[in-house]
Amino acid sequence: MRGGVCCVMLPDIPFLHSSFYYELYESKGRPANFKFLELIDRGRMSDNVKVVRPRTEWEEIIHKAGFEIEQCVPHLSKTLVQMWDIGLRPLFPMLKKMTQQIEEDVLDGIKEEWVDLFYKIGQPMIENEKVLMQQGAACFLCYIIKKR
């Protein structure tokens, strides 16, 4: 489409250091006492570590592919990424199984409660992201790109 733009979220180097799995387990040769971190990670880091790049490299890739960068916004602090990893990532597979066992009319009410709770927790986290970001670099880069 002519004149179209695309938004892509790309992992930056600080993403590695936001991961308990990477920092305490993978980068230390997988010590047995931290094997439990595999349950928290659920394969995310082993998949994503292959595509983590520094900003300069991402921008070179984007330009070589024939795109220009309209905007780049650092996104997601280490604190937010760690909250997600510990608080939600390990629970989601079981929650999904559980919801498949609940009758749909009951499930709709539960989903409404979840959305309400996530909004009450998530909105302040997002609003305070600038404060959280001061503790370190962003884990992702949000690029708005368009074809040259």
Side-chain angles (χ1 to χ4, degrees):
M1 173 176 151
R2 293 203 184 280
V5 295
C6 179
C7 175
V8 291
M9 298 287 293
L10 302 170
D12 197 0
I13 298 299
F15 174 64
L16 294 174
H17 306 291
S18 72
S19 166
F20 294 110
Y21 173 86
Y22 182 81
E23 282 286 294
L24 300 171
Y25 187 63
E26 185 72 29
S27 70
K28 305 258 190 272
R30 298 179 168 219
N33 59 323
F34 282 103
K35 186 169 177 58
F36 73 94
L37 291 172
E38 289 179 358
L39 295 170
I40 290 174
D41 183 66
R42 291 187 34 241
R44 179 189 67 158
M45 187 53 66
S46 58
D47 289 342
N48 287 331
V49 76
K50 299 170 197 153
V51 296
V52 172
R53 304 271 186 281
R55 183 174 180 162
T56 53
E57 226 176 286
W58 280 125
E59 293 183 1
E60 184 179 325
I61 291 168
I62 290 168
H63 287 117
K64 280 184 179 178
F67 292 92
E68 69 180 60
I69 298 167
E70 289 202 341
Q71 187 177 11
C72 177
V73 179
H75 187 61
L76 294 177
S77 67
K78 176 179 180 175
T79 304
L80 283 181
V81 171
Q82 288 177 332
M83 285 177 179
W84 174 260
D85 278 358
I86 292 173
L88 300 171
R89 181 174 296 286
L91 301 176
F92 266 41
M94 290 167 284
L95 290 172
K96 183 178 178 188
K97 276 188 205 175
M98 187 172 62
T99 60
Q100 293 168 342
Q101 305 302 314
I102 299 173
E103 293 183 30
E104 211 162 308
D105 59 328
V106 175
L107 185 58
D108 288 344
I110 294 170
K111 284 181 179 178
E112 285 179 25
E113 288 181 51
W114 270 86
V115 169
D116 183 56
L117 177 64
F118 276 100
Y119 184 79
K120 288 176 181 170
I121 293 170
Q123 188 67 30
M125 287 169 55
I126 292 166
E127 288 170 356
N128 289 296
E129 179 67 348
K130 285 185 181 176
V131 174
L132 296 173
M133 200 75 77
Q134 291 172 0
Q135 298 171 14
C139 295
F140 288 84
L141 300 165
C142 177
Y143 285 99
I144 307 298
I145 60 174
K146 70 177 184 179
K147 197 79 169 153
R148 273 191 251 148

